Amino acid sequence: MTITVRKASETDIDIVAQALLEGSRAGKKIGLFDLVFNISDTELLLGHLKRLATTSTKSYCHFSNFFIAMVGTEKAGVICGYEPRIATHEIFTKALEEIGFDESYHERIAAYLLCEGETDNKTFVLDFLMVQPEFKTFDVYKELIGKSMLTARLKGYRKVQTPVEIGSAEIEMIYKKLGFTVIDEKRSEYYKEQFDRPGILRLQMIL
């Protein structure tokens, strides 16, 4: 199986939106974007996420931050790699306002904010890693993560981090297999009450 990885374009918006939704839900009934948009209808959420991924304001959800793994002509998987010093919470709020949503979402995601890790300006972040069921092999994950880390290195970064929900054992194992180590974890009863997960851990690799 030959795997190639390329930058996402606007034509990849369907799989980007799918990765945002599935990555945030991670097997749970609701995820971050259910709360941001205050709805749980999957089709409506995907529609909002497609719009969010194509705003002129480039938040971390913008398609330009994503890579697509290709197996032949098939889109096998996707990952987001972004710079937190550029794609800030303020930029995310601005992108939401562009599609008609205000900053009241902050109250609804308070539990998430309690467990979100802090990153410095020297850190590149990976998120929303998703591989389609028929292509789920370690090699696809490895190529996606490897390409993202190469991009981080070329941008001058020496640290790459990824947030993983405590309990998402498969994703945690994949990153650890590639050399990432856990640097911290944040737990909250409020988070557990809302998402039925203990909290969020961060894994890191020094480039």
Side-chain angles (χ1 to χ4, degrees):
M1 180 169 71
T2 302
I3 306 159
T4 58
V5 178
R6 61 168 174 79
K7 287 280 288 181
S9 70
E10 199 163 344
T11 62
D12 300 307
I13 202 64
D14 287 347
I15 196 170
V16 166
Q18 184 186 353
L20 287 167
L21 184 58
E22 290 189 14
S24 66
R25 284 181 173 173
K28 309 184 302 295
K29 290 182 180 179
I30 65 167
L32 180 65
F33 294 112
D34 295 73
L35 300 175
V36 168
F37 294 109
N38 204 24
I39 55 172
S40 289
D41 180 274
T42 296
E43 289 307 310
L44 285 175
L45 273 171
L46 286 170
H48 290 324
L49 289 168
K50 288 175 189 178
R51 292 167 63 210
L52 182 61
T54 53
T55 54
S56 59
T57 303
K58 294 185 178 181
S59 72
Y60 64 86
C61 298
H62 196 268
F63 73 84
S64 60
N65 293 316
F66 285 76
F67 292 94
I68 309 294
M70 303 292 297
V71 175
T73 59
E74 298 291 321
K75 296 173 185 178
V78 60
I79 193 172
C80 175
Y82 69 95
E83 301 171 80
R85 65 184 182 85
I86 297 173
T88 61
H89 279 300
E90 290 75 20
I91 292 295
F92 180 68
T93 297
K94 186 178 177 184
L96 282 174
E97 289 173 349
E98 197 175 314
I99 61 171
F101 292 87
D102 61 33
E103 60 185 16
S104 62
Y105 76 90
H106 279 123
E107 295 177 11
R108 297 191 293 275
I109 67 166
Y112 171 81
L113 294 174
L114 280 172
C115 291
E116 183 185 36
E118 294 182 8
T119 55
D120 58 35
N121 288 340
K122 298 177 181 179
T123 300
F124 192 83
V125 172
L126 305 182
D127 208 346
F128 306 113
L129 174 61
M130 183 195 78
V131 173
Q132 303 284 31
E134 63 270 32
F135 296 107
K136 272 198 172 184
T137 66
F138 179 71
D139 285 343
V140 176
Y141 287 109
K142 181 181 178 181
E143 290 297 322
L144 279 167
I145 295 169
K147 181 74 171 183
S148 303
M149 291 196 298
L150 176 60
T151 297
R153 192 178 291 114
L154 291 173
K155 287 178 177 287
Y157 288 93
R158 293 295 174 263
K159 288 190 295 184
V160 177
Q161 292 179 4
T162 185
V164 176
E165 264 190 327
I166 298 168
S168 294
E170 181 185 23
I171 296 296
E172 181 182 347
M173 180 191 70
I174 287 163
Y175 277 107
K176 284 181 174 178
K177 196 170 180 180
L178 289 171
F180 283 72
T181 56
V182 176
I183 57 168
D184 64 29
E185 63 176 49
K186 290 188 178 182
R187 295 173 178 258
S188 163
E189 286 300 318
Y190 185 20
Y191 192 97
K192 188 173 182 180
E193 180 182 318
Q194 192 159 52
F195 296 111
D196 198 30
R197 295 283 180 88
I200 299 172
L201 58 81
R202 281 191 303 162
L203 296 108
Q204 177 174 281
M205 179 185 277
I206 304 298
L207 298 176

